[in-house]
Amino acid sequence: MAQQTIRPAPGAAKMPPASGGGRRNGSRPRRAPRPRTVLVTAVAWLIAAVFLLPYAQMVITALRPAGELRDATYLPGEFAWSNFIDVWRESHLGDNLRVTLLVAGGSTLLVLLVAIPAAYYTARVRFRGRKLFLLLVLVTQMFQPTSLLVGLYREFYQLGMLNSVWTLVLCNAAFNLAFAIWILTAYFSAIPEELEEAAMIDGLSRGRALLRVTLPLAMPGVVTAVIFTFIAAWNEFVMGLTLSTVPESQPLTVGINSFIGNYTVQWNYLFAASVIAIVPVVVLFAFIERHVVSGLTAGSVK
């Protein structure tokens, strides 16, 4: 029998020939990165390396044995992990860390308890002297703690409150209160007041409307005030050095300074204590850093 040839029907679409090297599932070929993108990425990595290099040097020095502190090599011959144990046992670092945690946590809590009502009232009520009040808050932020140390020392000496954790809590809260009021005022002003009015129509008081409606919406601003107040109180040095003279009652920054003597510096212990000091702040910032950017831009767009 003669072999029959099957011809496609008129108007039928022609199938493209199959090829093993063709694109699958309609995926597009990847484009090569632009030179500008490569350059920006390289510069970003370079800047990050510049900022991280001092921290890397700090960790490496903290792990150096005492006999290799003057060596010119970048890495030590052996890592002395015992430096962290020795610096904890042979100093008051544990007490200093406890004091710093109490001071930073207490100052942050006190700032929030005062700043939230003040910022909320300033944002919602157009009272007489409102601009003057905000200007006064801004002016207090310009004062340096060092310019007030003599007066603070005399005042707390007469009250018998030297070498007290609560003295440092009050001072750190006072110097960080202005920033918290400013940023929370801007954030409360950006939240529509109609949301609170709707909640009060449903039966809530103004205080409960603040706690249940406004405050959750203002949480990025609150978190920003928390992180900046906590870090400022954690890193404070001058007031802790002046108002606390007993080693057990001094904050961590003053305790680390004790490794610097008149004639010698214990670099390995100094950097080991510094590594211990920055770990809590890094952990705290890692947990809440996603709220910081939104809090810093609070009030910029309505």
Side-chain angles (χ1 to χ4, degrees):
M1 296 179 62
Q3 186 177 3
Q4 296 181 354
T5 302
I6 301 176
R7 298 181 179 178
K14 296 183 179 180
M15 297 295 293
S19 59
R23 298 191 300 269
R24 297 180 179 179
N25 299 329
S27 61
R28 298 179 179 180
R30 294 183 178 180
R31 296 181 179 180
R34 298 179 179 180
R36 181 179 179 182
T37 304
V38 175
L39 179 61
V40 171
T41 304
V43 171
W45 278 105
L46 180 61
I47 294 175
V50 169
F51 279 98
L52 292 176
L53 188 60
Y55 295 96
Q57 182 64 42
M58 179 177 63
V59 175
I60 292 172
T61 306
L63 295 174
R64 281 185 181 274
E68 298 185 16
L69 290 175
R70 297 183 179 273
D71 292 350
T73 57
Y74 188 78
L75 294 176
E78 60 177 353
F79 293 97
W81 297 97
S82 60
N83 287 341
F84 292 94
I85 301 176
D86 295 339
V87 76
W88 191 267
R89 290 178 177 176
E90 299 178 6
S91 66
H92 298 281
L93 194 65
D95 296 327
N96 301 144
L97 181 60
R98 176 184 57 83
V99 171
T100 302
L101 286 172
L102 290 175
V103 170
S107 302
T108 304
L109 181 61
L110 183 58
V111 165
L112 290 182
L113 291 177
V114 177
I116 289 177
Y120 177 77
Y121 186 84
T122 306
R124 289 289 185 258
V125 180
R126 303 294 176 178
F127 57 92
R128 181 178 298 179
R130 177 177 178 272
K131 294 184 178 180
L132 181 61
F133 171 74
L134 292 176
L135 180 61
L136 181 62
V137 170
L138 182 61
V139 169
T140 58
Q141 187 71 16
M142 299 178 183
F143 286 102
Q144 291 293 330
T146 53
S147 62
L148 304 174
L149 276 179
V150 177
L152 289 174
Y153 182 87
R154 293 187 60 182
E155 181 178 353
F156 287 115
Y157 175 78
Q158 294 175 356
L159 294 174
M161 295 181 62
L162 294 179
N163 300 317
S164 174
V165 173
W166 304 113
T167 300
L168 298 179
V169 168
L170 291 175
C171 291
N172 282 280
F175 283 104
N176 291 284
L177 184 61
F179 173 80
I181 291 178
W182 263 95
I183 192 170
L184 290 176
T185 300
Y187 212 95
F188 284 137
S189 300
I191 298 176
E193 192 173 358
E194 290 77 11
L195 297 176
E196 298 175 11
E197 294 175 354
M200 288 187 288
I201 291 176
D202 291 337
L204 293 181
S205 62
R206 180 171 289 274
R208 296 179 66 184
L210 169 64
L211 294 177
R212 293 190 178 185
V213 178
T214 308
L215 199 57
L217 295 176
M219 193 55 61
V222 175
V223 171
T224 303
V226 166
I227 189 67
F228 277 92
T229 303
F230 188 89
I231 292 178
W234 187 275
N235 295 330
E236 202 283 321
F237 174 75
V238 178
M239 287 188 296
L241 180 63
T242 306
L243 302 177
S244 297
T245 57
V246 180
E248 294 83 0
S249 64
Q250 291 176 336
L252 194 58
T253 51
V254 181
I256 293 175
N257 190 59
S258 64
F259 294 105
I260 303 176
N262 293 329
Y263 303 101
T264 59
V265 179
Q266 297 173 300
W267 292 108
N268 50 349
Y269 292 160
L270 177 65
F271 283 106
S274 301
V275 172
I276 296 174
I278 67 173
V279 168
V281 178
V282 172
V283 172
L284 175 66
F285 191 81
F287 277 104
I288 62 177
E289 58 88 18
R290 62 189 180 91
H291 298 284
V292 175
V293 176
S294 58
L296 288 175
T297 57
S300 59
V301 179
K302 292 187 178 180

